[in-house]
Amino acid sequence: MKFTIATSTSAFAACVLASGFEPDDFNVTKALVDNGFDVTGIPGLANLAERSSSSACSLACAALRFSFGNGTVLSEGSAGYDSFTGDYWAAQQAVVNPFCVFKPSSASQVSTVVLLSRLTQCPFAVKGGGHAAFAGGSSIEGGITIALEKFTEKTLSADKKIASVGSGNRWADVYPWIEQYGLEVIGGRISSVGVSGLTLGGGISHYANAHGWACDNIESFEVVTASGIIVEASATQSPDLYWALRGGGNNFGIVTKFNMRTFVQGEMWGGQRAHTEDQWDKVYEAYYNYAVNAEKDTKQAQIVSFALQAGMKIAAEDLEYSEPTPWPAVFDDWKAIPAIIDQTAIANMSTLANQLGAGAPDGVQETYWDRTFKVDRDIFKAFIEIFFEMVPAIQDAAGILPVLSFQAITVPAMEKMQQNGGNALGLDPSDGPIFICNLAILWTDVADNARIMSFSNSLYERLVEEAAKKDLNHDYIYMNYASPYQDVIASYGAANKQRLKSISGEYDPTGVFQVLQPGYFKLEGAPYGAFPV
Ligand SMILES: Cc1cc2nc3c(=O)[nH]c(=O)nc-3n(C[C@H](O)[C@H](O)[C@H](O)COP(=O)(O)OP(=O)(O)OC[C@H]3O[C@@H](n4cnc5c(N)ncnc54)[C@H](O)[C@@H]3O)c2cc1C
Ligand SMILES: *[C@@H]1O[C@H](CO)[C@@H](O)[C@H](O)[C@H]1NC(C)=O
Ligand SMILES: *[C@@H]1O[C@H](CO)[C@@H](O)[C@H](O)[C@H]1NC(C)=O
Ligand SMILES: *[C@@H]1O[C@H](CO)[C@@H](O)[C@H](O)[C@H]1NC(C)=O
């Protein structure tokens, strides 16, 4: 059997748009038939109403296999299934067992799996680069994990202004390719991370000060909606959906292609440096000066992290400059601080992304948490003191590496977020600068999970309490670093949450991406709900 969607779906799209995106009497079976998917020819699907819900996923996976071939579906017990489920960044996701894994190779096949999930009520999850740091982020127990790895397209428009990047790519695939043309796109700082999840949650790059975040540099998204309709969302076409996809995560559809704006970029200068504790007062001061003065030179990017590494307290900054200029003047504060490690060098983005990735191994237990705060001269030191006061509670856990990082969201970056109608994050440049305080912990023994999550939650309670003393708390929580106990969408502000819900009501009136795709940060709350007390 062969399926095509192009003609029938666009006719279908034209007719439903006249009466709202999805009419009240939307017929899922008919939409599948319109996709060329022969519902009556698939055993069990035709008389679905009589079946029990427990067979839903068995039926949906069998239908996918029957229609698209054995090569597109992995079932439990096969070697391909085990190597797929084992291949997530966080070990917590690798123990999740979906009923089957489906690997579509076209937007039309993605459309069909969404409709099939609706018809059978078998739930699903979507896996891009698989770097979500908790179970169910991009995996689903007993459901269908839709793996986007076959969406490997990378093409450059004739005028070289737009790079079309399939949603199964990782930054390791994108940077070396685009750099051949002397161009770059806005993306992640580590090679192994997926294009998809990073961009849909925001996407912080070394170029954020000059260009904004990854989501702000997408010209258009090709997205499969809940009705199975493939939409091209841009500032001029479905602008509401375009806005929602800029930070709204997996709540609006499955993106199959990102059309990214390119810019001219050659080699740059950057890398990591590290310092012992006696230098930290100068480190806090240098970071503060960056956060409040970033507009002085928007070619710069800075992150600073504090870790307990093999019993030793260490601070490490990552400095980046988008010209191949060693030690530009904006880094004078840092240059004056003696370093025990200095890896700064002239390099291209792809090389820097490989180097930075070396410290983020796959396959161990992981947790990420974050909150944002207003920038203040004393807050970094206060936070680091609290962190190291609390860390002894977990420092005996096997293989542990706790890291607390600061990433300023500078005023120029916030200003660039407003381009083309703005994004959904709710950040106002007049409120800036703010900074993300991101906790990242890795460890190896599952037995330590509960106390490490509890430590993380308590740490943020202390940080919020500390910040409250000087009124430095900010509402925004960055989705891509949030823990499954944090309500990210609410942190975008009541008005933005309401707007996101009304856009979801338009494109997904029955809540397919809320109910049938339960994982990750939903419009109405955190993946796991509030942290249990
Ligand atoms: C080592 C490391 C380095 C990182 N570096 C950065 C960085 O430099 N900058 C930054 O901003 N963040 C960074 N992050 C955070 C990163 O952005 C998130 O982990 C992000 O979710 C990863 O995307 P992914 O596609 O790899 O993950 P996945 O787990 O595959 O996806 C994350 C979420 O997005 C959904 N999703 C994936 N693809 C699609 C799609 N096509 N359509 C709809 N929904 C989809 C998934 O269902 C899931 O809910 C880093 C994370 C790690 C672990
Ligand atoms: C839905 O569409 C199918 C296929 O076209 C049709 O057989 C069925 O009767 C329709 N159901 C309703 C309720 O209209
Ligand atoms: C697909 O797998 C089934 C069993 O799982 C087998 O009976 C069938 O022959 C396979 N089809 C192809 C085309 O390989
Ligand atoms: C980027 O740097 C790497 C390592 O030095 C090199 O192999 C590659 O050719 C460079 N790419 C470009 C486009 O210069």
Side-chain angles (χ1 to χ4, degrees), residues 175-176 178-182 267 346-352 354:
Y175 293 144
I178 194 76
E179 285 168 8
Q180 298 171 72
Y181 302 97
E267 286 186 309
I346 290 173
N348 54 37
M349 180 64 222
S350 54
T351 306
L352 290 168
N354 287 337

Side-chain angles (χ1 to χ4, degrees), residues 151-422:
F151 288 81
T152 56
E153 176 183 347
K154 293 186 292 286
T155 52
L156 193 56
S157 65
D159 64 5
K160 301 194 173 169
K161 292 203 163 108
I162 302 293
S164 294
V165 175
S167 56
N169 283 296
R170 295 169 192 253
W171 299 108
D173 304 312
V174 176
Y175 293 144
W177 164 73
I178 194 76
E179 285 168 8
Q180 298 171 72
Y181 302 97
L183 299 172
E184 202 55 90
V185 291
I186 302 296
R189 295 160 297 197
I190 293 192
S191 299
S192 58
V193 174
V195 164
S196 279
L198 180 135
T199 303
L200 290 168
I204 312 177
S205 97
H206 292 319
Y207 310 112
N209 280 322
H211 296 274
W213 284 6
C215 70
D216 306 315
N217 289 277
I218 301 299
E219 185 70 11
S220 64
F221 300 87
E222 180 187 87
V223 56
V224 176
T225 60
S227 329
I229 300 172
I230 302 162
V231 176
E232 178 105 358
S234 69
T236 52
Q237 259 180 285
S238 304
D240 48 354
L241 184 57
Y242 172 72
W243 177 84
L245 289 167
R246 289 171 62 179
N250 71 5
N251 288 300
F252 297 90
I254 302 179
V255 173
T256 43
K257 195 195 294 186
F258 297 88
N259 295 309
M260 305 176 173
R261 278 176 232 124
T262 63
F263 57 98
V264 174
Q265 174 68 49
E267 286 186 309
M268 44 198 284
W269 178 84
Q272 271 201 336
R273 297 172 81 239
H275 314 277
T276 47
E277 202 180 351
D278 54 321
Q279 303 299 325
W280 289 7
D281 283 339
K282 286 181 262 175
V283 167
Y284 304 132
E285 184 68 14
Y287 203 71
Y288 172 78
N289 287 336
Y290 160 66
V292 297
N293 294 314
E295 65 278 7
K296 284 194 177 151
D297 189 341
T298 58
K299 295 188 169 109
Q300 63 173 325
Q302 303 188 13
I303 308 170
V304 66
S305 305
F306 298 81
L308 186 70
Q309 199 162 17
M312 183 182 168
K313 289 182 186 175
I314 192 160
E317 80 272 22
D318 199 76
L319 304 179
E320 314 292 340
Y321 197 72
S322 63
E323 299 279 343
T325 312
W327 290 113
V330 281
F331 298 139
D332 280 354
D333 283 357
W334 293 107
K335 198 178 178 183
I337 309 175
I340 51 168
I341 298 170
D342 188 337
Q343 297 171 334
T344 53
I346 290 173
N348 54 37
M349 180 64 222
S350 54
T351 306
L352 290 168
N354 287 337
Q355 282 170 356
L356 206 53
D362 273 40
V364 294
Q365 305 293 319
E366 306 275 359
T367 193
Y368 268 38
W369 295 64
D370 79 290
R371 290 196 71 93
T372 58
F373 302 91
K374 293 170 200 160
V375 172
D376 169 83
R377 193 178 286 274
D378 302 320
I379 195 168
F380 303 120
K381 180 171 188 163
F383 277 15
I384 292 307
E385 285 178 359
I386 291 170
F387 176 59
F388 283 107
E389 183 193 314
M390 292 181 71
V391 142
I394 55 165
Q395 82 183 60
D396 60 322
I400 195 150
L401 178 60
V403 182
L404 198 68
S405 297
F406 303 132
Q407 296 193 39
I409 307 181
T410 63
V411 172
M414 285 175 160
E415 282 167 349
K416 288 292 177 182
M417 290 183 183
Q418 314 308 318
Q419 62 190 307
N420 291 306

Side-chain angles (χ1 to χ4, degrees), residues 27 29-30 33:
N27 183 333
T29 306
K30 182 170 181 306
V33 172

Side-chain angles (χ1 to χ4, degrees), residues 126 128-132 137-138 148 189 194 196-198 204 250 255 478 480 520:
V126 175
H131 275 62
S138 43
L148 297 172
R189 295 160 297 197
S196 279
L198 180 135
I204 312 177
N250 71 5
V255 173
Y478 181 37
N480 290 355
Y520 220 54

Side-chain angles (χ1 to χ4, degrees), residues 25-31 33-34 39-40:
D25 61 351
F26 179 69
N27 183 333
V28 176
T29 306
K30 182 170 181 306
V33 172
D34 287 344
V39 177
T40 54

